[in-house]
Amino acid sequence: MDKSEVSTLHAKISLHDYRFIVDEFKVLAWFEVLDSALTLTDAYECVTRHYSSSTEMIMPAHVNKIWKDIKSKSQESRNMEYVNRMLVELEESKSLPPQDFTDLLEKTTGVKTAIANKILLIPCPFCKAKIAEGCKESGSKKRLENRFAHPSREEKAGFEYVVGKKEWVTTSSS
């Protein structure tokens, strides 16, 4: 935003909060600290969100924090859209997931969950569970009791759970 847009933003803020006084020095101060990627439209959204849940007079830090939250949720939403789209494509193609997909899972879920997710991205050769479905006991719809996937599925994904050590290890087939 440029200085004139910050001034316009201040006019909007003063409509929400009679305590907010618009002056050129405040405009300059806000201009210096507002996130440089913030647009006037996004700033309006931040102000609306702030005053919809707070009676506290808004400060640039409030706007920046709300903007950061909006961007973060937007990225999470794009990540979930990608994950869902990839799951459909993987189910249709019966192929292994691309590296960027498994990297995204690992980044967003942590190592142990990422390993589990990588295993769940492989259809089970034993019970025929589909991608993203947990394995079931043979001839039943009941989930496995002591593990979530059959060893053949884990091996196909390149992992093995060592029960005595209670940890995952990569197998040579990965």
Side-chain angles (χ1 to χ4, degrees), residues 112 115 119 146-151 154-155 158-171:
K112 288 186 181 179
I115 291 170
I119 292 168
N146 298 324
R147 56 192 322 143
F148 70 93
H150 288 105
E154 294 170 357
E155 184 179 324
F159 296 99
E160 177 185 354
Y161 186 72
V162 181
V163 178
K165 292 184 177 181
K166 295 186 179 180
E167 67 181 9
W168 292 96
V169 295
T170 50
T171 61

Side-chain angles (χ1 to χ4, degrees), residues 3-23:
K3 291 175 189 158
S4 69
E5 290 174 317
V6 174
S7 181
T8 304
L9 175 65
H10 281 195
K12 173 158 173 86
I13 293 170
S14 69
L15 294 173
H16 285 281
D17 190 341
Y18 70 90
R19 301 168 296 180
F20 193 89
I21 308 299
V22 179
D23 69 56

Side-chain angles (χ1 to χ4, degrees), residues 65-81:
K65 182 179 183 324
I66 293 167
W67 170 237
K68 182 180 176 186
D69 291 346
I70 289 170
K71 286 192 314 186
S72 174
K73 286 184 177 136
S74 175
Q75 183 62 47
E76 288 173 14
S77 176
R78 285 192 301 274
N79 287 349
M80 280 311 300
E81 287 173 13

Side-chain angles (χ1 to χ4, degrees), residues 6 27 38 48 53 60 70 78 113 121 131 145 147 167:
V6 174
V27 168
L38 186 66
T48 301
S53 63
I70 289 170
R78 285 192 301 274
T113 305
L121 289 171
I131 291 173
E145 297 240 350
R147 56 192 322 143
E167 67 181 9

Side-chain angles (χ1 to χ4, degrees), residues 135-146:
C135 287
K136 311 222 176 354
E137 290 183 10
S138 183
S140 167
K141 291 185 178 184
K142 185 178 175 188
R143 294 222 177 223
L144 294 177
E145 297 240 350
N146 298 324

